[in-house]
Amino acid sequence: MWEYFCARKVPADKIGRKKDDKDKARKHIKYECIVNGDRLIIGQWRSLGLIDTKIDSKGKKKYCKSPDAEFIGVYYMTPAGSTNVTRDGKEWSQGKVQYVALGGWNYYTAWNTYGYNYQCIGGKDEALSWLRKHWGDCSWYYNYNNDVFDTVERVEDHISMQRRMNAEQRRIKKWSDWANGAPPLPDDFEAWAREVAFGGLEYAFGNKDSDTYYCTACGKTHKSKTWKHRGRYECSRTGKRIKCEKVEKQGIERRERLMIIQSYKTILGECCSVARHFTAQMSWGRSGSTFKLWHDEMIVLRFDGSTPYGDDIVYNLGVGKWDVRNTCGYQHGKCYCYPDVSALAGTVYAGIGIDVAAAKGWRLHYNNLMRGNYDDPRMEYLIKGNFRQLVFDMTSGNGHVIGMLKGNTVQEVLGIDGQSVARLRQADGGTYYLDWLRAVYMSYGIKKDSDKGGLKIIHGKISEETIRFFCDKKISPQNVAFALNLGMSPEQIANYLKKKHGYTLKDCSWAGSKEHVVIRQWQDYLSMVDKLKLDKTRESVYKPKNLRERHDELTELINKERSRLEAERVEAEYPAIKPVCAKIRELYEWGDGEYLVIVPEGAAEIQREGRLLRHCVGTTDRYFDRIAEEESYIMFLRKSSAPTSPWYTMEVEPGGAVRQLRTFGDDEGSDRNEAKTFLKKWRREIAKRLGDSEREAAQISREKRLAEFEELRRNGNIIRNGKLAGKLLVEVLEADFKEYNEETE
């Protein structure tokens, strides 16, 4: 067939008038279809556009079009879905129909995306019949627009999708066969799960007005007048513990995670251990109790630790299918471990105390324990030392982070003395508890100089009530180091944090607890004390009675100081502002008894106006430049009944034309019509006062305004924030000027 297509003469499409149109011409593809036995063969040609040049009689270059299209390759498809292409007639390679024209470039829908125009010049009906015959099962593919090329492309997509699905099924089957061949569970696994996960607890369900209770332990009814809601009792028939529930409930349900470690083999047949994770669900109701167990995931534990823990995980997809891809969203978590961990023998995880923790029935994050501590024997000291909460916090991933020290004894590893170790064990303290013991008893401390920041050594003791308060509120010594450096004891800090200090629950919602809000505000307050150079050694200064009130007072003082410094900077940089304001005051100030216009004294009043109304006046030097150059002025529009309360801020040109009128939040205000009515009277009044110099200044200001508007229009400046966000700045400014100066513009 190659020779046939090579000898075939196909006229090229007449495209282009310039040599640059060659790429456009190459996208015009013509093809011919031939059905040869059980194969569909497609030959392809393409136009070459303007390819040759010659010099005409006038000495100019003239481009010539190729009369024939260029033959570029052959494609064939078999009924089995095999597709091959060749561009030289010798080497065939697997590929799609578009590969011939694209030179092997694979891009879905590339024909349409890049403007390819393809035309069938023969064999169209035979090709469509062949596609219907062999691919009729995917009828939604063939005969797309009654075009062979589109139909072939969509059949190819169907074939590729089917191959991917088959490969995915083979992969899932491989992992499913491996997971379903896991060793059977011990006979006592369910009984152990009931006891360790749910404590063997049963329920007695009753009614508020009844003395009879249905017991899930014995399946019969008890009668008692003394049982109370949520009280703990004992079933007289079975001896099991029961909890009384008088509230009308259909049932109670609880879930826990379990783990068992067994000997198994990898998917390649290598000996290994496997950690199998389960979810146990216990349901109690008025008809009895039920227990369910789901197998969630399996984690391979290699003997030599060559693969990090957690890299080989297989997840249960349900219906007996397993996969290494976590499509169900399983997450490692805290669980109970079956006591028999003999399968860990010979692995790197054998020496970290898992056997001891499992025998004690501890609920831990065993995954994190094996992942981060398989080569650290110090964790075994803590487990054997019976520090349950400490091990739990260190492995849970959500507790207070605290490191272990190097050493050969528990005291050396924890960084505390023997008496503190006994106290930690007796209290079953966690990482916060240990952190406070370290800081208080000085075996280990954050030994930084208090003058340079950090935590200094604390001398003395800390009561159990205080340390429990810090642990419950998740407050570490580092959190209150600033207070410890002031000489306060832990008890004094705890008592101070317990006070309300003017904060409500709503104020504390963002921080999680009132105490953490107080700590942050306290730190902020003390930093302001340093800025204002107050005497921080006085107790009334570093420990105010009402922290919130005092914090706000210092905040206001600092803001005033900042405003004063900024006003001094502006007045030093623009010394002409005060004289300008004094010069125009007599000319522009006026009121009608209800409203009045006020000219500010200087930069300080303008900045205060901007802060109170929260707009840009006073925060940018642009307006100060204009005042100094007498291009425009800043004035205040007030109500006569409240002349000191900000209402509207105006930017006014010489002569009284109002450029901008803004109120709180840079808004126009709902009562601007009242302001507009007054401003008309105000402009008529001051027009009587204007002299030649003011009229000349007004003309200059107008020209500058129009030039500025033109520049803003060219730059396309857009408002980024506020209610006017997204609008062109020049359009907003022009609309403002037109609205407030209708009779003058």
PDB file of all heavy atoms in Angstrom, residues 575-604:
ATOM      1  N   PRO A 575       5.919  73.500  55.189  1.00  0.00           N
ATOM      2  CA  PRO A 575       5.708  74.640  56.103  1.00  0.00           C
ATOM      3  C   PRO A 575       4.644  75.618  55.614  1.00  0.00           C
ATOM      4  O   PRO A 575       4.164  76.452  56.388  1.00  0.00           O
ATOM      5  CB  PRO A 575       7.091  75.302  56.146  1.00  0.00           C
ATOM      6  CG  PRO A 575       7.763  74.879  54.871  1.00  0.00           C
ATOM      7  CD  PRO A 575       7.251  73.507  54.578  1.00  0.00           C
ATOM      8  N   ALA A 576       4.246  75.516  54.341  1.00  0.00           N
ATOM      9  CA  ALA A 576       3.275  76.470  53.804  1.00  0.00           C
ATOM     10  C   ALA A 576       1.841  76.119  54.161  1.00  0.00           C
ATOM     11  O   ALA A 576       0.927  76.928  53.922  1.00  0.00           O
ATOM     12  CB  ALA A 576       3.414  76.538  52.278  1.00  0.00           C
ATOM     13  N   ILE A 577       1.579  74.921  54.730  1.00  0.00           N
ATOM     14  CA  ILE A 577       0.201  74.490  54.971  1.00  0.00           C
ATOM     15  C   ILE A 577      -0.502  75.408  55.970  1.00  0.00           C
ATOM     16  O   ILE A 577      -1.633  75.868  55.739  1.00  0.00           O
ATOM     17  CB  ILE A 577       0.172  73.020  55.452  1.00  0.00           C
ATOM     18  CG1 ILE A 577       0.579  72.097  54.302  1.00  0.00           C
ATOM     19  CG2 ILE A 577      -1.208  72.651  55.967  1.00  0.00           C
ATOM     20  CD1 ILE A 577       0.568  70.636  54.667  1.00  0.00           C
ATOM     21  N   LYS A 578       0.140  75.700  57.104  1.00  0.00           N
ATOM     22  CA  LYS A 578      -0.512  76.554  58.112  1.00  0.00           C
ATOM     23  C   LYS A 578      -0.802  77.956  57.575  1.00  0.00           C
ATOM     24  O   LYS A 578      -1.922  78.467  57.741  1.00  0.00           O
ATOM     25  CB  LYS A 578       0.361  76.617  59.364  1.00  0.00           C
ATOM     26  CG  LYS A 578       0.143  75.447  60.315  1.00  0.00           C
ATOM     27  CD  LYS A 578       0.794  75.707  61.657  1.00  0.00           C
ATOM     28  CE  LYS A 578       0.437  74.595  62.637  1.00  0.00           C
ATOM     29  NZ  LYS A 578       1.026  74.834  63.975  1.00  0.00           N
ATOM     30  N   PRO A 579       0.167  78.616  56.918  1.00  0.00           N
ATOM     31  CA  PRO A 579      -0.151  79.945  56.362  1.00  0.00           C
ATOM     32  C   PRO A 579      -1.269  79.913  55.325  1.00  0.00           C
ATOM     33  O   PRO A 579      -2.105  80.829  55.275  1.00  0.00           O
ATOM     34  CB  PRO A 579       1.175  80.379  55.731  1.00  0.00           C
ATOM     35  CG  PRO A 579       2.223  79.623  56.479  1.00  0.00           C
ATOM     36  CD  PRO A 579       1.604  78.320  56.814  1.00  0.00           C
ATOM     37  N   VAL A 580      -1.302  78.876  54.484  1.00  0.00           N
ATOM     38  CA  VAL A 580      -2.366  78.771  53.478  1.00  0.00           C
ATOM     39  C   VAL A 580      -3.718  78.639  54.157  1.00  0.00           C
ATOM     40  O   VAL A 580      -4.702  79.304  53.780  1.00  0.00           O
ATOM     41  CB  VAL A 580      -2.095  77.592  52.526  1.00  0.00           C
ATOM     42  CG1 VAL A 580      -3.334  77.311  51.664  1.00  0.00           C
ATOM     43  CG2 VAL A 580      -0.896  77.869  51.646  1.00  0.00           C
ATOM     44  N   CYS A 581      -3.794  77.764  55.174  1.00  0.00           N
ATOM     45  CA  CYS A 581      -5.068  77.566  55.878  1.00  0.00           C
ATOM     46  C   CYS A 581      -5.513  78.870  56.567  1.00  0.00           C
ATOM     47  O   CYS A 581      -6.701  79.213  56.579  1.00  0.00           O
ATOM     48  CB  CYS A 581      -4.932  76.449  56.906  1.00  0.00           C
ATOM     49  SG  CYS A 581      -4.743  74.793  56.173  1.00  0.00           S
ATOM     50  N   ALA A 582      -4.556  79.602  57.154  1.00  0.00           N
ATOM     51  CA  ALA A 582      -4.908  80.862  57.816  1.00  0.00           C
ATOM     52  C   ALA A 582      -5.383  81.896  56.802  1.00  0.00           C
ATOM     53  O   ALA A 582      -6.301  82.692  57.090  1.00  0.00           O
ATOM     54  CB  ALA A 582      -3.689  81.376  58.585  1.00  0.00           C
ATOM     55  N   LYS A 583      -4.779  81.889  55.612  1.00  0.00           N
ATOM     56  CA  LYS A 583      -5.137  82.878  54.591  1.00  0.00           C
ATOM     57  C   LYS A 583      -6.545  82.663  54.046  1.00  0.00           C
ATOM     58  O   LYS A 583      -7.280  83.627  53.772  1.00  0.00           O
ATOM     59  CB  LYS A 583      -4.115  82.816  53.459  1.00  0.00           C
ATOM     60  CG  LYS A 583      -4.361  83.858  52.372  1.00  0.00           C
ATOM     61  CD  LYS A 583      -3.303  83.760  51.280  1.00  0.00           C
ATOM     62  CE  LYS A 583      -3.494  82.511  50.447  1.00  0.00           C
ATOM     63  NZ  LYS A 583      -2.597  82.490  49.245  1.00  0.00           N
ATOM     64  N   ILE A 584      -6.963  81.392  53.870  1.00  0.00           N
ATOM     65  CA  ILE A 584      -8.248  81.111  53.225  1.00  0.00           C
ATOM     66  C   ILE A 584      -9.390  80.984  54.234  1.00  0.00           C
ATOM     67  O   ILE A 584     -10.552  80.867  53.835  1.00  0.00           O
ATOM     68  CB  ILE A 584      -8.168  79.836  52.371  1.00  0.00           C
ATOM     69  CG1 ILE A 584      -7.966  78.596  53.277  1.00  0.00           C
ATOM     70  CG2 ILE A 584      -7.059  79.942  51.332  1.00  0.00           C
ATOM     71  CD1 ILE A 584      -8.035  77.281  52.541  1.00  0.00           C
ATOM     72  N   ARG A 585      -9.091  81.005  55.527  1.00  0.00           N
ATOM     73  CA  ARG A 585     -10.140  80.748  56.522  1.00  0.00           C
ATOM     74  C   ARG A 585     -11.254  81.795  56.436  1.00  0.00           C
ATOM     75  O   ARG A 585     -12.442  81.462  56.415  1.00  0.00           O
ATOM     76  CB  ARG A 585      -9.522  80.730  57.922  1.00  0.00           C
ATOM     77  CG  ARG A 585     -10.562  80.418  59.023  1.00  0.00           C
ATOM     78  CD  ARG A 585      -9.924  80.181  60.377  1.00  0.00           C
ATOM     79  NE  ARG A 585      -9.155  78.933  60.334  1.00  0.00           N
ATOM     80  CZ  ARG A 585      -7.820  78.875  60.355  1.00  0.00           C
ATOM     81  NH1 ARG A 585      -7.120  80.009  60.423  1.00  0.00           N
ATOM     82  NH2 ARG A 585      -7.198  77.726  60.310  1.00  0.00           N
ATOM     83  N   GLU A 586     -10.897  83.041  56.405  1.00  0.00           N
ATOM     84  CA  GLU A 586     -11.916  84.099  56.370  1.00  0.00           C
ATOM     85  C   GLU A 586     -12.721  84.068  55.078  1.00  0.00           C
ATOM     86  O   GLU A 586     -13.903  84.431  55.059  1.00  0.00           O
ATOM     87  CB  GLU A 586     -11.234  85.459  56.533  1.00  0.00           C
ATOM     88  CG  GLU A 586     -12.217  86.624  56.635  1.00  0.00           C
ATOM     89  CD  GLU A 586     -11.514  87.942  56.857  1.00  0.00           C
ATOM     90  OE1 GLU A 586     -10.280  87.932  57.090  1.00  0.00           O
ATOM     91  OE2 GLU A 586     -12.193  88.988  56.804  1.00  0.00           O
ATOM     92  N   LEU A 587     -12.096  83.575  54.008  1.00  0.00           N
ATOM     93  CA  LEU A 587     -12.758  83.571  52.712  1.00  0.00           C
ATOM     94  C   LEU A 587     -13.757  82.426  52.576  1.00  0.00           C
ATOM     95  O   LEU A 587     -14.842  82.603  52.003  1.00  0.00           O
ATOM     96  CB  LEU A 587     -11.702  83.474  51.603  1.00  0.00           C
ATOM     97  CG  LEU A 587     -12.208  83.484  50.154  1.00  0.00           C
ATOM     98  CD1 LEU A 587     -12.937  84.797  49.851  1.00  0.00           C
ATOM     99  CD2 LEU A 587     -11.043  83.278  49.187  1.00  0.00           C
ATOM    100  N   TYR A 588     -13.432  81.241  53.139  1.00  0.00           N
ATOM    101  CA  TYR A 588     -14.235  80.047  52.848  1.00  0.00           C
ATOM    102  C   TYR A 588     -15.094  79.558  54.017  1.00  0.00           C
ATOM    103  O   TYR A 588     -15.990  78.739  53.810  1.00  0.00           O
ATOM    104  CB  TYR A 588     -13.318  78.902  52.399  1.00  0.00           C
ATOM    105  CG  TYR A 588     -12.740  79.120  51.018  1.00  0.00           C
ATOM    106  CD1 TYR A 588     -11.453  79.614  50.852  1.00  0.00           C
ATOM    107  CD2 TYR A 588     -13.487  78.857  49.885  1.00  0.00           C
ATOM    108  CE1 TYR A 588     -10.920  79.827  49.595  1.00  0.00           C
ATOM    109  CE2 TYR A 588     -12.962  79.065  48.613  1.00  0.00           C
ATOM    110  CZ  TYR A 588     -11.682  79.551  48.469  1.00  0.00           C
ATOM    111  OH  TYR A 588     -11.167  79.764  47.219  1.00  0.00           O
ATOM    112  N   GLU A 589     -14.840  79.972  55.232  1.00  0.00           N
ATOM    113  CA  GLU A 589     -15.661  79.506  56.343  1.00  0.00           C
ATOM    114  C   GLU A 589     -17.001  80.236  56.337  1.00  0.00           C
ATOM    115  O   GLU A 589     -17.059  81.476  56.230  1.00  0.00           O
ATOM    116  CB  GLU A 589     -14.940  79.748  57.674  1.00  0.00           C
ATOM    117  CG  GLU A 589     -13.848  78.732  57.949  1.00  0.00           C
ATOM    118  CD  GLU A 589     -13.356  78.778  59.380  1.00  0.00           C
ATOM    119  OE1 GLU A 589     -13.605  79.796  60.078  1.00  0.00           O
ATOM    120  OE2 GLU A 589     -12.731  77.806  59.814  1.00  0.00           O
ATOM    121  N   TRP A 590     -18.087  79.427  56.447  1.00  0.00           N
ATOM    122  CA  TRP A 590     -19.440  80.002  56.434  1.00  0.00           C
ATOM    123  C   TRP A 590     -20.429  78.949  56.900  1.00  0.00           C
ATOM    124  O   TRP A 590     -20.230  77.739  56.712  1.00  0.00           O
ATOM    125  CB  TRP A 590     -19.792  80.478  55.021  1.00  0.00           C
ATOM    126  CG  TRP A 590     -21.149  81.131  54.944  1.00  0.00           C
ATOM    127  CD1 TRP A 590     -21.474  82.401  55.297  1.00  0.00           C
ATOM    128  CD2 TRP A 590     -22.366  80.520  54.488  1.00  0.00           C
ATOM    129  NE1 TRP A 590     -22.798  82.651  55.094  1.00  0.00           N
ATOM    130  CE2 TRP A 590     -23.375  81.509  54.591  1.00  0.00           C
ATOM    131  CE3 TRP A 590     -22.684  79.257  54.010  1.00  0.00           C
ATOM    132  CZ2 TRP A 590     -24.695  81.249  54.236  1.00  0.00           C
ATOM    133  CZ3 TRP A 590     -24.003  78.992  53.650  1.00  0.00           C
ATOM    134  CH2 TRP A 590     -24.996  79.985  53.767  1.00  0.00           C
ATOM    135  N   GLY A 591     -21.521  79.380  57.526  1.00  0.00           N
ATOM    136  CA  GLY A 591     -22.566  78.478  57.958  1.00  0.00           C
ATOM    137  C   GLY A 591     -23.914  79.136  57.869  1.00  0.00           C
ATOM    138  O   GLY A 591     -24.025  80.376  57.842  1.00  0.00           O
ATOM    139  N   ASP A 592     -24.965  78.291  57.806  1.00  0.00           N
ATOM    140  CA  ASP A 592     -26.327  78.827  57.711  1.00  0.00           C
ATOM    141  C   ASP A 592     -27.141  78.551  58.958  1.00  0.00           C
ATOM    142  O   ASP A 592     -28.372  78.675  58.946  1.00  0.00           O
ATOM    143  CB  ASP A 592     -27.034  78.248  56.487  1.00  0.00           C
ATOM    144  CG  ASP A 592     -27.217  76.739  56.577  1.00  0.00           C
ATOM    145  OD1 ASP A 592     -26.667  76.122  57.529  1.00  0.00           O
ATOM    146  OD2 ASP A 592     -27.896  76.168  55.696  1.00  0.00           O
ATOM    147  N   GLY A 593     -26.476  78.161  60.044  1.00  0.00           N
ATOM    148  CA  GLY A 593     -27.198  77.850  61.274  1.00  0.00           C
ATOM    149  C   GLY A 593     -27.436  76.371  61.450  1.00  0.00           C
ATOM    150  O   GLY A 593     -27.596  75.887  62.576  1.00  0.00           O
ATOM    151  N   GLU A 594     -27.489  75.638  60.341  1.00  0.00           N
ATOM    152  CA  GLU A 594     -27.697  74.184  60.403  1.00  0.00           C
ATOM    153  C   GLU A 594     -26.413  73.437  60.060  1.00  0.00           C
ATOM    154  O   GLU A 594     -26.090  72.418  60.680  1.00  0.00           O
ATOM    155  CB  GLU A 594     -28.822  73.781  59.446  1.00  0.00           C
ATOM    156  CG  GLU A 594     -29.228  72.327  59.590  1.00  0.00           C
ATOM    157  CD  GLU A 594     -30.427  71.969  58.724  1.00  0.00           C
ATOM    158  OE1 GLU A 594     -30.925  72.870  57.994  1.00  0.00           O
ATOM    159  OE2 GLU A 594     -30.866  70.805  58.768  1.00  0.00           O
ATOM    160  N   TYR A 595     -25.683  73.936  59.058  1.00  0.00           N
ATOM    161  CA  TYR A 595     -24.419  73.327  58.658  1.00  0.00           C
ATOM    162  C   TYR A 595     -23.370  74.424  58.538  1.00  0.00           C
ATOM    163  O   TYR A 595     -23.698  75.615  58.394  1.00  0.00           O
ATOM    164  CB  TYR A 595     -24.545  72.598  57.315  1.00  0.00           C
ATOM    165  CG  TYR A 595     -25.665  71.586  57.277  1.00  0.00           C
ATOM    166  CD1 TYR A 595     -26.857  71.860  56.589  1.00  0.00           C
ATOM    167  CD2 TYR A 595     -25.541  70.365  57.925  1.00  0.00           C
ATOM    168  CE1 TYR A 595     -27.883  70.947  56.555  1.00  0.00           C
ATOM    169  CE2 TYR A 595     -26.573  69.435  57.896  1.00  0.00           C
ATOM    170  CZ  TYR A 595     -27.740  69.730  57.210  1.00  0.00           C
ATOM    171  OH  TYR A 595     -28.756  68.823  57.177  1.00  0.00           O
ATOM    172  N   LEU A 596     -22.100  74.036  58.568  1.00  0.00           N
ATOM    173  CA  LEU A 596     -21.035  75.013  58.410  1.00  0.00           C
ATOM    174  C   LEU A 596     -19.803  74.354  57.810  1.00  0.00           C
ATOM    175  O   LEU A 596     -19.596  73.142  57.953  1.00  0.00           O
ATOM    176  CB  LEU A 596     -20.687  75.670  59.734  1.00  0.00           C
ATOM    177  CG  LEU A 596     -19.959  74.840  60.802  1.00  0.00           C
ATOM    178  CD1 LEU A 596     -19.250  75.768  61.772  1.00  0.00           C
ATOM    179  CD2 LEU A 596     -20.940  73.949  61.561  1.00  0.00           C
ATOM    180  N   VAL A 597     -18.993  75.155  57.121  1.00  0.00           N
ATOM    181  CA  VAL A 597     -17.728  74.715  56.538  1.00  0.00           C
ATOM    182  C   VAL A 597     -16.609  75.273  57.396  1.00  0.00           C
ATOM    183  O   VAL A 597     -16.592  76.464  57.723  1.00  0.00           O
ATOM    184  CB  VAL A 597     -17.584  75.194  55.079  1.00  0.00           C
ATOM    185  CG1 VAL A 597     -16.172  74.912  54.567  1.00  0.00           C
ATOM    186  CG2 VAL A 597     -18.615  74.510  54.196  1.00  0.00           C
ATOM    187  N   ILE A 598     -15.660  74.403  57.782  1.00  0.00           N
ATOM    188  CA  ILE A 598     -14.548  74.778  58.650  1.00  0.00           C
ATOM    189  C   ILE A 598     -13.244  74.526  57.913  1.00  0.00           C
ATOM    190  O   ILE A 598     -13.070  73.480  57.272  1.00  0.00           O
ATOM    191  CB  ILE A 598     -14.579  73.971  59.965  1.00  0.00           C
ATOM    192  CG1 ILE A 598     -15.856  74.279  60.739  1.00  0.00           C
ATOM    193  CG2 ILE A 598     -13.350  74.253  60.812  1.00  0.00           C
ATOM    194  CD1 ILE A 598     -16.017  73.447  61.993  1.00  0.00           C
ATOM    195  N   VAL A 599     -12.319  75.444  58.012  1.00  0.00           N
ATOM    196  CA  VAL A 599     -10.974  75.281  57.455  1.00  0.00           C
ATOM    197  C   VAL A 599     -10.064  74.803  58.580  1.00  0.00           C
ATOM    198  O   VAL A 599     -10.025  75.428  59.646  1.00  0.00           O
ATOM    199  CB  VAL A 599     -10.447  76.604  56.863  1.00  0.00           C
ATOM    200  CG1 VAL A 599      -9.006  76.437  56.389  1.00  0.00           C
ATOM    201  CG2 VAL A 599     -11.334  77.064  55.724  1.00  0.00           C
ATOM    202  N   PRO A 600      -9.326  73.701  58.420  1.00  0.00           N
ATOM    203  CA  PRO A 600      -8.471  73.185  59.500  1.00  0.00           C
ATOM    204  C   PRO A 600      -7.318  74.131  59.811  1.00  0.00           C
ATOM    205  O   PRO A 600      -6.926  74.960  58.991  1.00  0.00           O
ATOM    206  CB  PRO A 600      -7.970  71.852  58.944  1.00  0.00           C
ATOM    207  CG  PRO A 600      -8.042  72.001  57.468  1.00  0.00           C
ATOM    208  CD  PRO A 600      -9.232  72.878  57.201  1.00  0.00           C
ATOM    209  N   GLU A 601      -6.755  73.945  61.017  1.00  0.00           N
ATOM    210  CA  GLU A 601      -5.622  74.751  61.431  1.00  0.00           C
ATOM    211  C   GLU A 601      -4.350  74.347  60.694  1.00  0.00           C
ATOM    212  O   GLU A 601      -3.511  75.176  60.376  1.00  0.00           O
ATOM    213  CB  GLU A 601      -5.413  74.608  62.942  1.00  0.00           C
ATOM    214  CG  GLU A 601      -6.529  75.185  63.785  1.00  0.00           C
ATOM    215  CD  GLU A 601      -6.509  76.712  63.793  1.00  0.00           C
ATOM    216  OE1 GLU A 601      -5.454  77.287  63.469  1.00  0.00           O
ATOM    217  OE2 GLU A 601      -7.546  77.317  64.115  1.00  0.00           O
ATOM    218  N   GLY A 602      -4.184  73.017  60.480  1.00  0.00           N
ATOM    219  CA  GLY A 602      -2.968  72.542  59.834  1.00  0.00           C
ATOM    220  C   GLY A 602      -3.020  71.049  59.598  1.00  0.00           C
ATOM    221  O   GLY A 602      -4.097  70.425  59.582  1.00  0.00           O
ATOM    222  N   ALA A 603      -1.824  70.441  59.432  1.00  0.00           N
ATOM    223  CA  ALA A 603      -1.738  69.025  59.068  1.00  0.00           C
ATOM    224  C   ALA A 603      -2.296  68.108  60.147  1.00  0.00           C
ATOM    225  O   ALA A 603      -2.890  67.071  59.847  1.00  0.00           O
ATOM    226  CB  ALA A 603      -0.283  68.661  58.767  1.00  0.00           C
ATOM    227  N   ALA A 604      -2.109  68.449  61.431  1.00  0.00           N
ATOM    228  CA  ALA A 604      -2.568  67.584  62.521  1.00  0.00           C
ATOM    229  C   ALA A 604      -4.078  67.382  62.468  1.00  0.00           C
ATOM    230  O   ALA A 604      -4.579  66.263  62.635  1.00  0.00           O
ATOM    231  CB  ALA A 604      -2.155  68.175  63.869  1.00  0.00           C
TER     232      ALA A 604
END
